[in-house]
DNA sequence: AACAAGTTTGGCAGGCACTGCCAGATGGGC
DNA sequence: GCCCATCTGGCAGTGCCTGCCAAACTTGTT
């Protein structure tokens, strides 16, 4: 609805878009800084807005909720996951496709340190964790139809496909939890493989 | 903290406790009725309190949050699950123990119709679902140490145990989702078995 | 360079969940 | 019947979030 005549231009040159991008980054950085400094619940929207130099009203226009100030948008995440799965070779099974999707998702983080910091924050804050889990199940639901095609040849019904997707995400979560417990030691994907091996063994 | 000199008496005779129990039921019923009638988000605490005949302040003393007005307390749930697992015979594997725990949890519902209604409500309301998922992972975490003993002989480490517990819960959730999709057709535990079979190949 | 049109912003009022505080009502033990 | 412990209700206040409207700004045109 915003820019209709943009075609596929690489650098969106309009001043509005640039300012918007800057403000987004500024807000996001400020929020993350304050959250890690004094805790999520102890940080108010008013404070973030003040220190980021925008009004509360504008902040809420950029990010719908306080929880959104943590991670990339859910939409972006869903797109990445579904596209990655879709791009997998036709002969790849559902498990491989899901693994590839997780790998792609993990590569979004700029550094393991930042990932650790973020995971820790989400993991230790009830409201944040709940919000994350909500996004997670919505991702699962979006992924289900994409994977059903890959599972139909094996004679799997919808319910079983759902169980497989849910299991993959569960093992991914378990892997990040274990990774977190070890303060970022090792590779999340390795932990994921080990967990899945224990389950499917 | 409330009654200390109660020992293990069956009928708590104090008037206070009886009134308290009555009020709890009244509030719970009113809330569930209003939620199903007009939706969770469209129902305010003020309305529930008014129709249940208590003040908002008292309602919040009985139930800490609006989400708590839906299901049994998290504590009760955790206790049931852990106790059930603990009571399983020593030679039962982790998977059987978890299955038994889910079976026990399912038997808490008074009727499949009520269970369906409740599940539907939780499933369709974002905030409720997020709260439920939060409780769920906390249950997982409490269950982990109980199951670790059962898994140690197989040479499973903590991370793998976590993956197994997470997978069981994931398949349980997938089963309820499928059950919900079929409007309560079939048995949740059967769906759980089918899902787990698909996962464990 | 000024103008018209569309978009974004900020401030205000308000709703809702939730909490701390304090006075008043109520049940329990003597 | 009395005192103490507990519970209740109302009030004010915080924090997240939304709708609304006027002011400021960007853009394309003349």
């Amino acid at each position: 609805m915003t820019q209709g005549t943009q075609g596929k231009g690489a650098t969106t040159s309009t001043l509005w878009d640039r300012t918007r991008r800057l403000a987004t980054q500024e807000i996001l950085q400020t929020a993350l800084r304050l959250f890690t400094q004094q805790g999520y619940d102890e940080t108010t929207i008013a404070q973030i807005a003040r220190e980021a130099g925008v009004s509360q009203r504008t902040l809420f226009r950029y990010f719908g909720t306080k929880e959104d100030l943590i991670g990339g948008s859910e939409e972006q995440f869903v797109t990445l996951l579904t596209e990655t799965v879709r791009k997998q070779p036709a002969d790849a099974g559902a498990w491989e496709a899901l693994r590839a999707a997780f790998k792609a998702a993990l590569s979004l983080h700029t550094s393991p340190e930042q990932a650790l910091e973020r995971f820790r924050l989400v993991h230790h804050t009830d409201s944040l964790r709940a919000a994350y889990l909500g996004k997670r199940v919505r991702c699962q639901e979006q992924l289900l139809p994409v994977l059903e095609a890959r599972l139909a040849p094996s004679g799997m019904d919808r319910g079983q496909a759902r169980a497989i997707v849910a299991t993959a995400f569960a093992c991914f979560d378990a892997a990040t939890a274990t990774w977190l417990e070890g303060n970022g030691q090792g590779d999340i994907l390795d932990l994921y493989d080990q967990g899945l091996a224990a389950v499917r063994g």
Side-chain angles (χ1 to χ4, degrees), chain A residues 106 109-119 179 183-184 186 188:
Chain A
L106 282 173
H109 293 280
T110 49
S111 75
E113 290 75 26
Q114 197 182 25
L116 189 62
E117 198 175 359
R118 244 168 240 244
F119 283 167
W179 186 70
N183 288 316
I188 296 189

Side-chain angles (χ1 to χ4, degrees), chain A residues 53-123:
Chain A
V54 294
S55 70
Q56 288 195 37
R57 198 64 193 83
T58 301
L59 195 154
F60 275 118
R61 263 192 276 265
Y62 278 66
F63 304 90
T65 69
K66 190 181 178 186
E67 280 109 7
D68 288 340
L69 289 169
I70 272 289
S73 76
E74 179 179 337
E75 197 181 340
Q76 172 198 0
F77 229 83
V78 168
T79 310
L80 176 65
L81 290 178
T82 52
E83 284 311 306
T84 308
V85 167
R86 226 189 288 276
K87 276 180 197 150
Q88 294 305 115
D91 62 337
W95 294 108
E96 292 104 277
L98 282 166
R99 205 193 108 106
F102 291 143
K103 190 172 183 175
L106 282 173
S107 71
L108 277 187
H109 293 280
T110 49
S111 75
E113 290 75 26
Q114 197 182 25
L116 189 62
E117 198 175 359
R118 244 168 240 244
F119 283 167
R120 219 193 293 273
L121 193 55
V122 174
H123 198 80

